[in-house]
Amino acid sequence: MVREGNARRREPVRGALIHYHEIALKGKNRGFFLKQLEANLLAATRDLDCGPLRRPAGRLFLEMGEGTLWEDLRPRLSRVFGIANFSPAFVMAPDLELLAKRIEEEVSGRSFRSFRVAARRAFKTFPQTSQQINEMIGARVQRICSARVDLTNPDLTVAIEVLPNEAFVYFEKLHGPGGLPVGTGGTLACLLSGGIDSPVAAHRMMKRGCRIVFVHFHSQPFADRTSQDKAIELVRVLTQYQFTSRLYLVPFGEIQQEVVARVTGRLRVLMYRRLMLRIAEQIAHKEGAQALVTGESLGQVSSQTIENIAAIEQASTLPILRPLIGMDKDEITQQAQQVGSYEISIIPDQDCCSMFTPRQAATHTTHREIELAERPLDLDRLTAQGQAAAHSLELSFPG
Ligand code: ATP
Ligand code: MG
């Protein structure tokens, strides 16, 4: 919705000026990506007094209501994938004198020793060139303060973007999260443990535009509720990036007991994993998810040697995405801190895979060995049992 008269009626209007990058490269599909980005922006801010959201020439502008604080809006925007950068901005008529007056008012309340003006014209029909705007506004700023012009490393940048019917002014530019809007990349089912890795894996796939359905396996009643509570809290954090989520909690303890009764100790973890994949795959089909996601990272633990990853993978007919496969633990930990999941992940719990498992798990296996080990298990029944016992929860943000 474009409201051209807006800038003249009630100026200056405050809002967030949003630039996108990767979406701009999408050619014919750009409309599809932009629509989703707009829907996500509205979802992320639905409890704030914001709007309308407009599309002025290759940008987005989300108006802020009188009572809305930038401190409230900023963290929301920093989690909407597809945003390259964003700024708290004023929009007003594209009139040089009005702009100068407004900028004078704004800078007189700020302290800075150096500045520059960075004007851009989206259309070349404006009477002054960008350089002329820079010089004119620069001179006006210098009239009211003693700051010097510094084009390379100024304390303050006065940014102006001039469009045919309006102009935007802002003084700071914040990094957006980049990536593609959630909802443009299909649905994936993520196997979410309570650990550090899988939430980061989910986050990375959301950043590529995917919507994630979460599946957590727990060993209640043989273990306490901690891992489930952690999974719920982790999904709560991750929901800030996709706004609504579904989490499946799958009781896995009884299934594990059957494995323990029939499979030798060193292969049990592989059996658990293969069963988890089978159950997750059924849930994925039900949810229309096209692939599975795990937090596996090559060589990190014994179940993640390339042989074991291959042996586990054969249990699934869906593709398995492992966005962390080439990352080391430090990199993953850093990302977990940025995402906001780290503090939850490090709460001690009893991961179901470590239950009923000897210290020495297999690091090397063959297809034949796996086949023989699985023979005494009624895989179809166990898979159906896990799926039937799964319990789902819905989470939303803002909640
Ligand atoms: P994480 O930090 O994600 O727990 P990890 O380094 O502990 O990973 P593993 O325990 O070998 O590695 O698990 C590998 C992957 O298997 C996890 O990243 C996750 O995707 C999946 N997984 C493991 N345990 C569970 C579980 N209880 N529920 C759901 N998925 C699980
Ligand atoms: Mg783990």
Side-chain angles (χ1 to χ4, degrees), residues 190-199 215-218 227 269 273 276 293-297 300-301 303-304 329 351-353:
C190 177
L191 284 87
L192 185 80
S193 68
I196 295 173
D197 305 325
S198 38
V215 186
H216 173 72
F217 296 86
H218 64 84
S227 87
V269 172
R273 283 294 150 71
M276 281 184 184
V293 181
T294 72
E296 287 161 310
S297 156
Q300 201 191 78
V301 288
S303 59
Q304 293 175 24
K329 197 76 189 185
D351 182 64
C352 65
C353 289

Side-chain angles (χ1 to χ4, degrees), residues 88-212:
F90 296 104
V91 58
M92 49 198 304
D95 174 296
L96 216 46
E97 183 52 33
L98 283 177
L99 279 166
K101 279 216 176 92
R102 178 74 210 139
I103 289 167
E104 279 176 356
E105 267 171 46
E106 213 21 69
V107 299
S108 61
R110 292 172 185 250
S111 108
F112 54 98
R113 279 175 308 182
S114 59
F115 78 102
R116 71 173 176 142
V117 183
R120 251 166 60 192
R121 298 178 308 163
F123 293 86
K124 307 302 172 197
T125 46
F126 195 70
Q128 283 81 20
T129 64
S130 299
Q131 187 50 30
Q132 286 168 331
I133 301 172
N134 289 345
E135 285 167 10
M136 186 274 194
I137 301 282
R140 293 286 289 265
V141 171
Q142 279 192 309
R143 243 173 43 185
I144 59 157
C145 68
S146 54
R148 68 191 159 77
V149 173
D150 179 345
L151 298 182
T152 50
N153 191 20
D155 288 347
L156 182 75
T157 295
V158 180
I160 307 171
E161 296 185 17
V162 184
L163 273 53
N165 297 307
E166 55 192 346
F168 298 92
V169 178
Y170 53 91
F171 302 91
E172 78 182 295
K173 194 182 243 187
L174 300 156
H175 284 296
L180 296 170
V182 170
T184 58
T187 302
L188 308 174
C190 177
L191 284 87
L192 185 80
S193 68
I196 295 173
D197 305 325
S198 38
V200 176
H203 182 263
R204 288 185 76 97
M205 296 320 300
M206 287 176 181
K207 183 167 174 174
R208 297 316 298 159
C210 300
R211 179 167 292 293
I212 307 286

